[in-house]
Amino acid sequence: MEEFVNIFLMGKKYTVPSNLTIMGAMEYAGYQLVRGCGCRSGFCGACAIIYRIKGERDLKVCLACQTQVENNMYIATLPFFPLIKEIYDINEIRPTEQIMMQLYPEIYSCIGCNACTKSCTQGLNVMQYIAYAQRGEYEKCAEESFDCVMCGVCSSRCPAGISHPQVALLARRLTGKYLAPKSEHLEDRVREIENGDFEELLEGLMQKPIEELKELYNNRDIEE
Amino acid sequence: MYTQEMLDSVKKVEATRKERLGMEPRRMTAEEKETLLNRYHPDYRQENFSVLKIGPNKGDKVPDELAVLLQANSRVKDLDIDLTKIDYDTDVLIIGGGGAGASAAIEADEAGAKVMMVTKLRIGDANTMMAEGGIQAADKENDSPAIHYLDALGGGHYANDPKLLHKLVTEGPSAVKWLNDLGVMFDKAADGTMITTHGGGTSRKRMHAAKDYSGAEIMRVLRDEVINRGIPVVDFTSAVELILDEEGRAAGAVLMNMETGEYLVARAKTVIIATGGAGRLHYQGFPTSNHYGATADGLILGYRVGAELVYADTIQYHPTGVAFPEQIFGALVTEKVRSLGAMLVNADGEAFMHPLETRDVCAASIIRECKDRKKGVSTVEGSGVWLDTPMIDMIHGEGTIENRLPGMFRMYEKYDIDMRKIPILVYPTLHYQNGGLKINQEGLTDVENLYAAGEVVGGIHGRNRLMGNSLLDIIVFGRNAGKNAAKKSKTIKPGKLTLSHVEKFAKEMEDAGIKTDCVSPKLLPKYTHRKDE
Ligand SMILES: Cc1cc2nc3c(=O)[nH]c(=O)nc-3n(C[C@H](O)[C@H](O)[C@H](O)COP(=O)(O)OP(=O)(O)OC[C@H]3O[C@@H](n4cnc5c(N)ncnc54)[C@H](O)[C@@H]3O)c2cc1C
Ligand code: SF4
Ligand code: SF4
Ligand code: FES
C-alpha cells in the first residue's frame, strides 16, 4: 500500500506518496520543473530547499533531489541566490592573504554566528572554511569546502552578506594552481609527447590489422 | 532501511567476504564476453531499435525513442520566425553549457573570437558536473599514449575512429595539465605524483580524480573561468533549430527561452554543438544517471541539417546504478567503488565476475545474474546485486571511503545506509551515449561551419567508452573545436540566414510517409503526473 503525506509547496497543500523525494513530489503534484532542477543527483546545487515541519521551531535546508518528503513539510525553493562573483585573472593573482581582502573583503566582517554552517545542505563546516580564507590558509579552506555544490543557501543566511561558495572556489583554484605540489611526471610526459616520442609506436598501432590488434589487446599485461 | 530479505542476503555476503578478500575473480575470455553481450546487453535487443527512413543515416538502426525524435517535426515548422531580426550576433556560437562547451568557449575566446554560450538550464547543469570517477591520461612512467590507445580500442570493440582516438590519447596529458593550471585540484601524493587508479578496461592505473567530485571540480573551475573571461552565457535558453546561410553553412540558431517560451535568433559565423547525451530519453525503460537536460537535442539539431551520426545504436549502460533506495533509483554509483576493490556479489554471496571488466560486459553480467540465474536481490523497482563496499576500507584502511568517496558516502548516509559497513544494491542504469555526430579531427561535422564536441559526438570511443575517457574527450575535443571554430570564423562573411532545411525535412518526412505529432528537440523529459494528461 502506498502511503501519502501532506506537503505545502510555497504554502499550498498537496498530497503526495511518502516515498518520493521533494523533487519527485513537486513533479507528482504537476510541476514541470525548469528552474530548480539540474543534475537530479546532488551535485549541481540547483535544487536548494528551505523548509519547516509544521509546529517545529527550527528552519531546515536540503537539496530537493536528495531528500525524502515528510508529513507537514512547508517547502520554499531557492533556485537562485544573488551571490557576488568577483572577476580575476587566475594567471595574475597569487595565493597571498591580500587577494581575499581585495576580492572578497566582506569575509572579514564575519560575526561568527555560525548560521552558514547550520544551513549548509552538504553539512560542511562553512564558518570554519571562511575562517581559513580570512587567514590566507587556502589549502585548508579548499579541503574543508571541497564538497560544496554552490547552492548558495549559506549565503542566504549570512548577516555579513558573504558569498561563501565563491570565496571557497577562489581558494580551491589558488590551491590547485599554486599551492598543490607540481606533478613532474605530467610535465615530463607532455614534453615527451610534444617531442613526438610516441608517434612511431602509435602510427605502428594504427596501421595494424584488427586481428593483430585483438591479439595485442587480449594478451596485454595489466598493472596489478 | 533494508528489507528483511536484503538483510538475510547481506549475511551471506558477509560470510564470504573474508575469503573473497584474498582472491581475484577470473576475467572472462573474449568468447565468453561476446556470448554474454549478445544475449544480455540492451544494445543487442533488436526489438527495441527502428530503422531510420530519412536523413543522412537512412537505413541505419537507432533506439526507438531516438528514431521518433530524429524523424519528428521541427519546433519552428509553422512559426514565422523573422530571421532579419537578430537578437544575438557573435562569431562563435556554442550550444551547451557543460564541460565541452565551456572548454570550447575558453579556447575560442583565447583565440580572439567573439564567443557566446547558450544553455538549456544553468551553465554547469550538465553531465559533466556529475562525473565522479575521474579522467584518464597516460602520464605515468609505466604508461604511454600507445597503451592508452590499445585499451580504448579494445574497450570500444575496435570500432573507434583511429585518428580521433590518436588525438584523444596524445593530447590527454596536456589536457590534464591545462586543467591543473586552471586550478583544478587533482588528487596528488605529497611529492606531486598524481594518485591514479584503474577503471574498467584499463591496463594501467591512469584514472586521475578529484575525490569523487572529479566532474564537479572540473566544471566549477571551467565555469568560473568562462565568467572571468566575460564570455556571455545565456542560460535557460535552448537551441531548437540551427540556422543555415544560403550556401548551406551553419550560421546560427533559433533559440527558445525556457521560462517564457520566447523565440530568439542568434547569428554566428561558426557554431559548436556541445549538448551532451541522451539519458533522459530512457531507452528501453531504463533509469538514468544523466542530468535533467540530457535529451539528445544536439543529435536532432545536427541531423536535420544533414550531419551524419555514427554508432547512434550504441548506448552505455553503467553497470552500477542505484537499485535501492528507490528515491535515488538509477543514480550513479561511481566505477571508482569497484576500482577501489569492492566486488560484485550475488544474493548468495558469490562474486560472480571480475569487478573490472568493461562496462558493457559488466552490465550484461549483472542482468544475467538477475534475470536468468535468479540470483539478484529483489527491490521495489525490480532487482539488483550487491556491491560489497565494506571491502574498500578493509583493503585500503579505515577512512578510505569517507576520504575518496565522500559524495557517494553522503548520498547513502541520507538514507541511513552506511556503505562502510554494509554493501549496497546496484543494477545497470542508462549512462552514456557512445555514438553521435560524426566529426573529423578539426571537430567539424559534415556541415560546413558546424562543429561538435563532447558526448554529442560519436566515433572517438567506438562502440563502448571506457570510464574516464569521456571527461578527457570533452576537454581535448572541446578545446579543439573552440580553437578551430574561432579560426574559421575569421574567414567568414555572414550570408543571408535561412531555415529552408526545415521545410525540406518536412517534405522528406511526408515523402517517406512519416506522420507524427511529435516535435523535437525534446528539451526536457516529462515526469508530471497530472490527472488531465
Ligand atoms: C553520473 C555521471 C558520472 C560520470 N562519470 C564519469 C567519469 O567518472 N569519467 C568520465 O570520463 N566520464 C564520466 N561521465 C560522462 C561524462 O561526464 C560526460 O559524458 C561528459 O561530461 C559530457 O560533457 P558534455 O559537455 O559533452 O555534455 P554535458 O556536460 O551534459 O553538457 C551539455 C550541456 O548542453 C545543454 N544542452 C542540452 N541541450 C541543449 C539545447 N538544445 N540547447 C542549449 N543547451 C543544451 C545541457 O543542459 C548541458 O548543460 C559521467 C556521466 C554521468 C552522467
Ligand atoms: S557551503 Fe553554502 S553553497 Fe556550499 S553547499 Fe554548503 S550551503 Fe551550499
Ligand atoms: S553566517 Fe556569515 S557571519 Fe555568520 S558565521 Fe557564517 S560567514 Fe560568519
Ligand atoms: S538537482 Fe542538482 S543538486 Fe539537486
Side-chain angles (χ1 to χ4, degrees):
Chain A
M1 256 301 284
E2 219 170 28
E3 278 177 44
F4 285 84
V5 292
N6 291 327
I7 59 167
F8 298 80
L9 298 174
M10 322 308 151
K12 179 165 168 56
K13 181 170 151 188
Y14 291 94
T15 305
V16 301
S18 63
N19 58 2
L20 297 178
T21 58
I22 296 174
M23 185 170 282
M26 289 181 78
E27 291 174 331
Y28 181 91
Y31 281 74
Q32 170 74 49
L33 300 175
V34 177
R35 284 265 167 193
C37 177
C39 66
R40 304 180 74 100
S41 273
F43 285 100
C44 75
C47 66
I49 294 287
I50 300 187
Y51 71 95
R52 194 194 292 280
I53 305 291
K54 189 176 176 182
E56 285 181 11
R57 292 286 139 185
D58 49 335
L59 203 52
K60 296 193 172 140
V61 293
C62 67
L63 297 174
C65 67
Q66 297 291 294
T67 312
Q68 201 169 338
V69 288
E70 288 175 50
N71 199 31
N72 285 330
M73 212 175 204
Y74 279 78
I75 295 165
T77 59
L78 190 72
F80 174 78
F81 190 79
L83 296 170
I84 298 168
K85 152 75 187 123
E86 288 298 344
I87 304 300
Y88 53 86
D89 181 342
I90 189 72
N91 295 313
E92 297 295 321
I93 62 170
R94 290 291 179 273
T96 56
E97 230 172 289
Q98 293 88 301
I99 190 69
M100 276 293 168
M101 185 53 116
Q102 266 170 35
L103 293 174
Y104 295 109
E106 64 279 6
I107 64 171
Y108 297 95
S109 316
C110 166
I111 57 166
C113 67
N114 210 28
C116 49
T117 301
K118 277 195 265 176
S119 71
C120 177
T121 57
Q122 290 284 86
L124 304 179
N125 193 344
V126 189
M127 183 170 86
Q128 182 63 59
Y129 83 58
I130 292 296
Y132 287 138
Q134 286 171 343
R135 300 202 289 265
E137 295 179 305
Y138 299 130
E139 281 173 283
K140 286 185 181 163
C141 177
E143 198 58 39
E144 196 76 42
S145 71
F146 199 79
D147 301 1
C148 170
V149 294
M150 306 191 73
C151 65
V153 173
C154 52
S155 308
S156 78
R157 313 283 295 142
C158 177
I162 294 168
S163 294
H164 314 68
Q166 296 295 1
V167 171
L169 179 58
L170 172 58
R172 285 195 304 272
R173 287 191 71 181
L174 288 170
T175 302
K177 183 170 175 66
Y178 295 110
L179 300 170
K182 290 260 162 300
S183 303
E184 302 281 353
H185 64 91
L186 176 62
E187 319 250 329
D188 291 348
R189 181 55 47 87
V190 170
R191 264 193 304 276
E192 288 162 11
I193 291 174
E194 274 165 10
N195 252 336
D197 289 7
F198 301 97
E199 255 336 282
E200 219 179 294
L201 253 172
L202 272 166
E203 291 293 334
L205 270 181
M206 288 168 74
Q207 318 283 290
K208 283 197 201 317
I210 291 224
E211 282 320 309
E212 211 174 309
L213 288 165
K214 282 189 179 167
E215 245 337 273
L216 282 172
Y217 179 75
N218 291 326
N219 297 309
R220 74 206 199 287
D221 64 302
I222 297 182
E223 180 181 1
E224 279 295 307
Chain B
M1 205 47 205
Y2 284 148
T3 63
Q4 195 51 50
E5 184 199 331
M6 291 173 189
L7 291 172
D8 290 344
S9 175
V10 167
K11 291 227 171 68
K12 296 184 190 162
V13 176
E14 284 168 349
T16 60
R17 187 175 293 142
K18 206 154 165 213
E19 198 183 319
R20 281 185 289 108
L21 267 171
M23 68 128 180
E24 190 178 338
R26 187 177 67 84
R27 287 186 190 256
M28 284 179 229
T29 64
E31 295 78 60
E32 279 174 315
K33 287 188 217 171
E34 206 164 304
T35 328
L36 178 73
L37 288 174
N38 273 320
R39 286 208 46 195
Y40 297 98
H41 196 280
D43 275 0
Y44 296 76
R45 308 194 60 109
Q46 293 310 327
E47 68 275 21
N48 297 309
F49 290 80
S50 328
V51 175
L52 292 173
K53 293 187 191 151
I54 53 170
N57 288 77
K58 186 171 161 181
D60 289 356
K61 266 187 270 182
V62 299
D64 290 343
E65 297 81 352
L66 180 61
V68 168
L69 294 172
L70 284 173
Q71 305 180 129
N73 302 305
S74 165
R75 285 179 178 264
V76 303
K77 191 172 143 210
D78 296 316
L79 296 178
D80 212 4
I81 305 257
D82 181 358
L83 295 177
T84 60
K85 213 187 120 273
I86 291 165
D87 300 283
Y88 300 101
D89 208 359
T90 186
D91 292 347
V92 182
L93 172 67
I94 297 173
I95 306 172
S103 306
I106 294 168
E107 289 294 358
D109 178 69
E110 183 69 26
K114 185 176 166 197
V115 193
M116 176 181 128
M117 288 176 87
V118 297
T119 193
K120 189 185 296 183
L121 302 164
R122 306 172 310 170
I123 177 174
D125 291 347
N127 283 359
T128 304
M129 191 59 105
M130 311 167 73
E132 299 163 20
I135 176 167
Q136 288 200 38
D139 60 7
K140 290 286 178 78
E141 190 96 50
N142 70 348
D143 200 359
S144 83
I147 304 178
H148 191 175
Y149 184 94
L150 193 60
D151 282 350
L153 191 69
H157 302 279
Y158 309 94
N160 318 46
D161 178 319
K163 291 201 182 102
L164 297 182
L165 184 55
H166 176 277
K167 191 166 183 68
L168 181 80
V169 298
T170 47
E171 294 183 19
S174 54
V176 169
K177 183 169 156 36
W178 185 68
L179 291 172
N180 184 84
D181 294 349
L182 280 171
V184 169
M185 285 174 59
F186 287 106
D187 295 343
K188 292 180 185 181
D191 67 352
T193 306
M194 293 275 182
I195 298 175
T196 51
T197 52
H198 270 304
T202 56
S203 68
R204 293 293 182 276
K205 294 183 179 169
R206 73 168 77 86
M207 195 72 58
H208 303 60
K211 305 196 196 270
D212 64 350
Y213 285 92
S214 306
E217 170 64 359
I218 290 171
M219 190 69 237
R220 320 185 269 222
V221 168
L222 292 178
R223 174 173 60 194
D224 197 50
E225 185 62 20
V226 166
I227 299 170
N228 278 349
R229 285 170 176 266
I231 297 169
V233 180
V234 185
D235 58 4
F236 292 99
T237 301
S238 294
V240 295
E241 196 67 57
L242 292 174
I243 299 174
L244 303 179
D245 66 11
E246 288 157 311
E247 292 169 49
R249 306 177 302 182
V254 179
L255 311 176
M256 189 183 101
N257 180 324
M258 295 294 286
E259 298 192 297
T260 63
E262 184 188 8
Y263 288 98
L264 300 151
V265 173
R267 178 169 74 175
K269 294 174 179 158
T270 53
V271 178
I272 303 176
I273 303 185
T275 51
R280 293 282 155 191
L281 298 185
H282 295 291
Y283 296 139
Q284 301 184 32
F286 271 86
T288 184
S289 63
N290 285 191
H291 87 286
Y292 189 43
T295 51
D297 297 358
L299 304 191
I300 316 297
L301 296 174
Y303 200 69
R304 232 178 248 146
V305 294
E308 192 185 334
L309 308 176
V310 281
Y311 307 134
D313 59 332
T314 63
I315 312 301
Q316 185 166 85
Y317 294 83
H318 195 294
T320 60
V322 173
F324 183 88
E326 61 185 301
Q327 290 84 4
I328 45 173
F329 181 55
L332 188 74
V333 174
T334 170
E335 188 166 309
K336 210 163 131 198
V337 175
R338 280 178 290 138
S339 306
L340 287 169
M343 277 180 177
L344 287 161
V345 181
N346 65 22
D348 293 334
E350 299 154 354
F352 58 91
M353 66 173 299
H354 193 290
L356 289 180
E357 298 282 8
T358 52
R359 286 188 172 167
D360 47 357
V361 170
C362 225
S365 167
I366 293 172
I367 293 172
R368 173 174 68 186
E369 208 64 17
C370 293
K371 293 264 143 83
D372 239 32
R373 295 182 173 165
K374 307 281 176 224
K375 292 207 173 182
V377 181
S378 357
T379 63
V380 194
E381 312 277 353
S383 56
V385 296
W386 295 109
L387 187 53
D388 198 11
T389 46
M391 293 178 73
I392 296 177
D393 280 7
M394 292 169 87
I395 296 171
H396 301 279
E398 235 171 82
T400 309
I401 288 186
E402 270 168 287
N403 230 332
R404 305 277 294 276
L405 301 162
M408 208 79 299
F409 178 62
R410 175 174 290 115
M411 178 168 92
Y412 277 99
E413 209 187 12
K414 285 193 174 141
Y415 296 96
D416 292 327
I417 294 168
D418 185 344
M419 65 185 280
R420 296 172 302 183
K421 308 219 164 71
I422 198 156
I424 57 181
L425 277 172
V426 294
Y427 193 78
T429 186
L430 178 48
H431 187 57
Y432 183 78
Q433 170 176 279
N434 292 310
L437 296 169
K438 194 178 88 185
I439 56 165
N440 66 13
Q441 278 157 284
E442 315 221 300
L444 194 61
T445 67
D446 287 342
V447 177
E448 220 180 313
N449 297 345
L450 182 63
Y451 295 78
E455 194 170 335
V456 75
V457 163
I460 303 164
H461 309 289
R463 302 186 69 84
N464 175 55
R465 168 194 66 112
L466 299 187
M467 167 202 181
N469 273 350
S470 175
L471 279 182
L472 180 60
D473 121 36
I474 65 172
I475 304 302
V476 169
F477 289 92
R479 294 179 67 194
N480 184 50
K483 285 177 200 166
N484 292 324
K487 193 162 143 212
K488 186 69 194 289
S489 74
K490 295 189 177 137
T491 69
I492 306 289
K493 268 210 201 68
K496 190 164 171 275
L497 303 185
T498 145
L499 281 168
S500 60
H501 66 277
V502 173
E503 266 161 61
K504 203 171 130 226
F505 196 83
K507 176 81 175 38
E508 271 181 63
M509 277 173 65
E510 201 184 303
D511 292 349
I514 302 168
K515 281 204 188 71
T516 171
D517 290 336
C518 178
V519 290
S520 64
K522 192 176 170 82
L523 304 181
L524 290 175
K526 206 164 172 55
Y527 297 133
T528 54
H529 297 245
R530 279 183 5 210
K531 293 184 197 71
D532 57 343
E533 278 159 357

